[in-house]
Amino acid sequence: MDLYEFVDRLCRFETTDGEEAEAAAWTREQFDAFGFDTYEWEADAETLAGHTSFPNDPADIRVENRPSVAGVVEFGDADAGPTLVLNGHLDVVPADADLWTGDPFEPTWSDGRATLTARGAADMKAGLGACVFAALDLRDRVEAGEAAVDGRVVVEAVAGEEDGGIGAAAAALDDPYPFDRDAALVAEPTDLTAVTTTEGTVMKRLTIRGRSAHAATRWRGEDVLPHFERVRAAFQELETERGERVHHDLYEEFEVPWPIVCGRVEAGSWSSTVPGTLTAEWRFGVAPGETVDEVEAEYEQRLAAVVADSEWLSAHPPAFERFSIQFEPAGIAPTEPVVRALADAMADDGLADTDPHGATYGADSRHYVAAGIPTVVFGPGTVEEAHFPDESVEWADVLRAREVIAATARRFLAGDYDRGTESGPDADAETDS
């Protein structure tokens, strides 16, 4: 099986809504066929419930029949060298087939093999494939006598990244391997740039209660929509204020560095009834160097100001509670060996932009960083294709990512880089709040 066949087949698995098991079993079969040492683990809901990313109630965390798998390649005196994890996730977000030009889980290739279109093509099955074949390429070079390294490469295919990082969090909290991990690379779509900081998010559900009334006598009711619009305007003002007040060098390129979005609103019960209830679900950006709790408190305070300015809301306070999953920000120093190895590999491959970047999304990298494992994000494709209809990736970028990741692994395992500044959730952060 070659990289093309691997990615094409992987994209045919409909790994949405916790249905990774079949794809995980197939991936492990491929690892076995490639001669990798294989591992498999499932997350424990009780353990994850104590983690800040996940709901407090274990019953709200779906972990059953959601295995993560890994393949390990050892080189030379493996225990004498470092271990590098190459990580990708198996799960994808649902696809609204009505918005696609074809079946989201029937990969299509345009102009020969120039572009792959499928759900998960960019986010991130092509990146996972690049990791697998990068490990194989390095093994081939070592066996051919073209490279001499000691250590290990671990290729992970994890479950539940879109659900908070179920597989990666489990691996970070309870090492599934009989060896330590020294660094990691997560192959999310980064346009072939090195991402050393990722933004955090806090998810909140707002519930406003008014009073229903017949449309013919709407003045007898209390419409929730004007109240919601005042809250929304206040939150957008705070987003703007935070963009001017909270600084980080790697986020100056973004028009909105710490974005918020109200992704879902449901109000009212009937077209001729004054809407008396409203539920809105929000995502708030958290800068590297901040905590989820700090940003949550800022928006709660802004909501409290809107409530205090309204006689109705003061008498009927809205509920504003966390729901779903939270993403903590994460960052590592650009002097970390894995970042320097990646930058040198990128330069050797002719990539002009080898500087570290920040991303306004969260990734599984945060779990490894929190566990003391310096992690960089690098992969083919663009986040602008992720979660989109007709999600696509340029195949040339996948092939290039494969080469760069293989070279990064070779350089890292060669041990030519001294470790720089320690990594952690606040590393390389320059916030001023």
Side-chain angles (χ1 to χ4, degrees):
M1 177 171 291
D2 62 14
L3 176 57
Y4 164 82
E5 293 170 321
F6 184 93
V7 173
D8 183 271
R9 181 67 184 91
L10 194 57
C11 286
R12 295 177 187 274
F13 290 102
E14 191 168 345
T15 51
T16 58
D17 301 323
E19 298 296 325
E20 300 100 337
E22 186 179 359
W26 178 85
T27 302
R28 182 168 184 173
E29 289 175 1
Q30 308 317 306
F31 288 164
D32 285 330
F34 293 143
F36 294 176
D37 295 328
T38 57
Y39 294 81
E40 182 172 322
W41 66 95
E42 288 192 2
D44 177 70
E46 293 282 350
T47 301
L48 294 185
H51 191 287
T52 54
S53 282
F54 300 95
N56 295 328
D57 187 351
D60 293 333
I61 309 172
R62 183 182 174 187
V63 297
E64 295 80 10
N65 199 31
R66 302 187 73 178
S68 298
V69 298
V72 179
V73 186
E74 294 191 342
F75 303 95
D77 186 352
D79 291 331
T83 294
L84 175 65
V85 175
L86 306 178
N87 170 281
H89 61 84
L90 291 167
D91 60 313
V92 298
V93 298
D96 187 343
D98 291 340
L99 300 178
W100 285 63
T101 56
D103 186 336
F105 297 98
E106 287 289 335
T108 58
W109 298 82
S110 60
D111 299 324
R113 293 186 182 180
T115 305
L116 166 64
T117 299
R119 173 55 87 219
D123 187 19
M124 59 169 295
K125 292 178 177 179
L128 173 56
C131 290
V132 173
F133 283 82
L136 289 171
D137 291 344
L138 180 56
R139 186 178 69 181
D140 290 344
R141 288 199 61 185
V142 170
E143 291 178 348
E146 298 174 0
V149 297
D150 296 316
R152 299 179 184 86
V153 172
V154 181
V155 183
E156 290 184 342
V158 297
E161 190 272 346
E162 304 290 356
D163 291 334
I166 286 171
L173 293 168
D174 186 13
D175 188 352
Y177 313 109
F179 47 77
D180 294 331
R181 297 154 294 176
D182 297 286
L185 181 150
V186 175
E188 292 278 8
T190 67
D191 293 298
L192 298 178
T193 63
V195 171
T196 57
T197 60
T198 56
E199 194 165 321
T201 63
V202 57
M203 309 289 283
K204 299 278 284 183
R205 180 181 287 122
L206 173 70
T207 303
I208 302 175
R209 296 194 177 277
R211 183 170 57 220
S212 298
H214 195 289
T217 56
R218 64 180 178 84
W219 54 88
R220 297 184 180 276
E222 183 69 28
D223 191 339
V224 293
L225 293 176
H227 295 298
F228 169 72
E229 288 300 330
R230 283 190 285 273
V231 172
R232 186 166 181 259
F235 284 175
Q236 288 176 326
E237 289 175 1
L238 180 54
E239 175 193 62
T240 300
E241 293 173 16
R242 283 176 42 75
E244 298 170 349
R245 169 169 46 88
V246 181
H247 302 285
H248 191 293
D249 287 346
L250 298 186
Y251 288 80
E252 292 180 354
E253 64 182 284
F254 296 105
E255 181 178 347
V256 183
W258 325 121
I260 71 170
V261 66
C262 183
R264 180 176 176 274
V265 180
E266 184 175 351
S269 58
W270 189 249
S271 57
S272 63
T273 300
V274 172
T277 59
L278 181 142
T279 300
E281 294 178 349
W282 298 80
R283 176 219 193 254
F284 302 97
V286 181
E290 296 184 306
T291 68
V292 167
D293 290 346
E294 289 170 347
V295 175
E296 179 181 38
E298 281 200 60
Y299 281 95
E300 287 179 339
Q301 291 169 5
R302 190 56 55 97
L303 174 62
V306 176
V307 170
D309 198 40
S310 165
E311 182 177 345
W312 177 267
L313 293 181
S314 295
H316 308 84
F320 195 39
E321 301 172 335
R322 287 190 189 184
F323 78 102
S324 186
I325 55 175
Q326 320 306 318
F327 280 67
E328 300 77 20
I332 63 173
T335 52
E336 286 289 350
V338 67
V339 179
R340 294 163 61 198
L342 173 60
D344 288 343
M346 293 166 65
D348 286 349
D349 200 70
L351 292 171
D353 183 4
T354 62
D355 291 335
H357 289 265
T360 54
Y361 54 80
D364 275 345
S365 55
R366 74 192 192 282
H367 293 305
Y368 298 104
V369 172
I373 303 169
T375 305
V376 66
V377 185
F378 171 87
T382 172
V383 72
E384 294 179 3
E385 288 287 338
H387 303 195
F388 273 57
D390 289 342
E391 176 183 347
S392 300
V393 66
E394 297 303 313
W395 194 243
D397 290 345
V398 180
L399 298 177
R400 199 166 195 182
R402 170 185 179 173
E403 295 173 358
V404 171
I405 294 170
T408 300
R410 177 179 57 80
R411 287 176 169 277
F412 183 78
L413 266 60
D416 294 336
Y417 304 91
D418 293 328
R419 187 170 184 181
T421 305
E422 294 294 318
S423 49
D426 302 335
D428 200 36
E430 299 179 5
T431 57
D432 179 16
S433 56

